[in-house]
Amino acid sequence: TLYLSAKDAYVQALGLFTQELGIQVRMSMRSLLDGLQKADMDFSNVVSSTVYLRDMKDEGPVMSLYGTFFKDNFPSRTTLQQNFDDMKSEDVEQISFIAVRQPLH
């Protein structure tokens, strides 16, 4: 079981950050994929996700883009509005995953 904690769209090595919602979601998903791949997993191993939004009005656009990263089985998902005090002012979303590697039979 792999737990990937609330990734956001900041790329530390590049010092890159954007407030544009679509780019943040893509960067967060890429960062999460990097973590999955380090454990020899991919999006098909994700069984649960939590999506934290600064504003619930962003749920539709975020979920439309988020859904493109999963092919067949979608993980269970909780979407909630994050407390403004707990997020950096630039964050509009954060995503956390739980992934499980299935045993070989």
Side-chain angles (χ1 to χ4, degrees), residues 11-73:
V11 180
Q12 186 173 6
L14 301 175
L16 180 63
F17 191 89
T18 179
Q19 291 187 18
E20 200 278 310
L21 181 63
I23 294 173
Q24 274 202 20
V25 171
R26 285 181 184 87
M27 289 174 68
S28 290
M29 295 299 280
R30 177 68 243 185
S31 179
L32 288 161
L33 180 59
D34 289 344
L36 289 165
Q37 289 176 331
K38 285 180 184 176
D40 197 28
M41 295 187 201
D42 60 30
F43 289 122
S44 68
N45 296 100
V46 178
V47 296
S48 179
S49 70
T50 304
V51 179
Y52 304 91
L53 300 175
R54 176 173 283 286
D55 193 324
M56 288 305 290
K57 72 175 175 48
D58 295 328
E59 182 179 20
V62 169
M63 290 305 107
S64 292
L65 185 54
Y66 166 94
T68 64
F69 290 88
F70 298 95
K71 299 299 178 219
D72 295 320
N73 297 321

